[in-house]
């Protein structure tokens, strides 16, 4: 039996993923009543044409290299092999560390073959999503941890917070993004439900629409064979 686990937040009207950004707006371009009147739908099945306006980092989203560099490839150009059916490794937060360190990776991943894999940092911070606490003491990667993963051929680095870089110390810039995206790998942020995924053995699917943008939400989920 296969178990499917959603690793993304639902994009809803009013959602704000990152402080200071405008909220998601979902409304109807044509209501059912308007469509029924204009297009003569049947009385028991009237079409709805709704629309969405949002920042590209709304919900659970993926960054392409174009997020940082004009020369980088865009979301529409993400190689499917870097976001489809990846071996998934979950690294749990060390209670003594806010940031992910190489020592944590070595202790939990051991000698695992990480080439072509997805590695995600499970911190439990997603439980604070859409609350003021989501902006406080935010876990993240260290640059050393990011480089350690890239050196081992990881295709996707994820986290259940708003940034793999240090949100609470913005003076450090986007150094972790630069390492991951600079290697042509993918960043996935604002993930959810990583506590439901086994440390090893699951497969990750993180599929965004084919849009010519720097970042965009994806349907991100894990598949576990039970």
């Amino acid at each position: 039996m296969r178990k499917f686990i959603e690793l993304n937040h639902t994009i809803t009207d009013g959602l704000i993923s990152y402080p200071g950004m405008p909220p998601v707006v979902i409304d109807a371009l044509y209501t059912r009543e308007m469509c029924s009147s204009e297009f003569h739908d049947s009385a028991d099945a009237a079409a709805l044409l709704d629309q969405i306006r949002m920042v590209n980092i709304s919900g659970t989203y993926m960054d392409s290299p174009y997020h940082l560099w004009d020369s980088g490839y865009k979301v529409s150009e993400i190689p499917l092999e870097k976001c489809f059916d990846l071996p998934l490794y979950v690294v749990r937060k060390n209670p003594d560390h806010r940031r992910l360190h190489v020592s944590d990776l070595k202790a939990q991943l051991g000698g695992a073959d990480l080439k072509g894999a997805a590695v995600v940092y499970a911190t439990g911070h997603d439980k604070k999503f859409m609350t003021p606490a989501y902006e406080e003491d935010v876990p993240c990667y260290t640059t050393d941890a990011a480089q350690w993963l890239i050196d081992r051929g990881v295709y996707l680095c994820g986290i259940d917070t708003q940034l793999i870089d240090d949100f609470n110390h913005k003076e450090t810039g986007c150094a972790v993004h630069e390492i991951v995206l600079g290697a042509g790998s993918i960043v996935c942020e604002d993930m959810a439900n990583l506590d439901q995924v086994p440390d090893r053995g699951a497969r990750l699917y993180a599929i965004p629409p084919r849009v010519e943008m720097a970042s965009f939400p994806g349907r991100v989920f894990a598949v576990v064979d039970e």
Side-chain angles (χ1 to χ4, degrees):
M1 178 181 293
R2 307 184 82 191
K3 181 179 180 181
F4 295 84
I5 304 169
E6 294 276 10
L7 302 182
N8 46 252
H9 295 285
T10 302
I11 297 176
T12 57
D13 184 55
L15 180 142
I16 299 175
S17 293
Y18 197 90
M21 298 293 177
V24 173
V25 177
I26 301 175
D27 56 17
L29 178 63
Y30 281 91
T31 65
R32 297 190 190 280
E33 292 74 19
M34 292 165 64
C35 284
S36 180
S37 173
E38 185 164 345
F39 302 116
H40 308 292
D41 290 323
S42 64
D44 61 346
L48 168 66
L49 298 181
D50 46 7
Q51 61 185 348
I52 186 168
R53 294 182 293 281
M54 67 180 183
V55 179
N56 64 348
I57 58 170
S58 298
T60 302
Y61 61 93
M62 299 164 66
D63 291 331
S64 70
Y66 186 62
H67 183 49
L68 293 186
W69 303 286
D70 284 342
S71 59
Y73 64 77
K74 301 176 182 179
V75 170
S76 57
E77 300 163 329
I78 292 177
L80 292 178
E81 64 267 22
K82 294 194 174 183
C83 60
F84 181 85
D85 195 27
L86 306 182
L88 176 58
Y89 294 86
V90 181
V91 178
R92 310 292 172 184
K93 183 180 180 300
N94 184 326
D96 296 327
H97 299 160
R98 179 174 65 86
R99 301 190 296 168
L100 177 63
H101 293 267
V102 172
S103 58
D104 302 319
L105 295 172
K106 289 181 176 179
Q108 296 186 49
L109 296 179
D113 180 6
L114 301 178
K115 185 173 178 57
V119 174
V120 297
Y121 184 27
T123 73
H125 204 70
D126 59 305
K127 307 308 179 189
K128 303 174 183 179
F129 188 68
M130 287 287 285
T131 73
Y134 197 59
E135 302 174 28
E136 301 171 358
D137 299 318
V138 183
C140 61
Y141 284 52
T142 60
T143 53
D144 288 347
Q147 191 64 60
W148 191 89
L149 292 171
I150 291 302
D151 288 345
R152 283 152 183 78
V154 169
Y155 277 176
L156 183 146
C157 295
I159 194 168
D160 54 3
T161 75
Q162 56 267 66
L163 283 178
I164 58 171
D165 274 292
D166 199 336
F167 176 86
N168 294 115
H169 295 278
K170 296 184 177 64
E171 67 275 7
T172 59
C174 296
V176 176
H177 276 80
E178 290 179 15
I179 291 169
V180 177
L181 299 180
S185 295
I186 304 302
V187 171
C188 187
E189 294 166 316
D190 280 315
M191 299 181 75
N193 303 325
L194 295 177
D195 57 330
Q196 299 179 28
V197 184
D199 294 353
R200 303 187 186 195
R203 311 289 294 188
L204 181 79
Y205 299 78
I207 313 299
R210 202 174 182 187
V211 294
E212 292 189 336
M213 296 178 69
S215 308
F216 208 78
R219 187 70 178 265
V220 183
F221 61 95
V223 178
V224 181
D225 289 319
E226 297 185 322

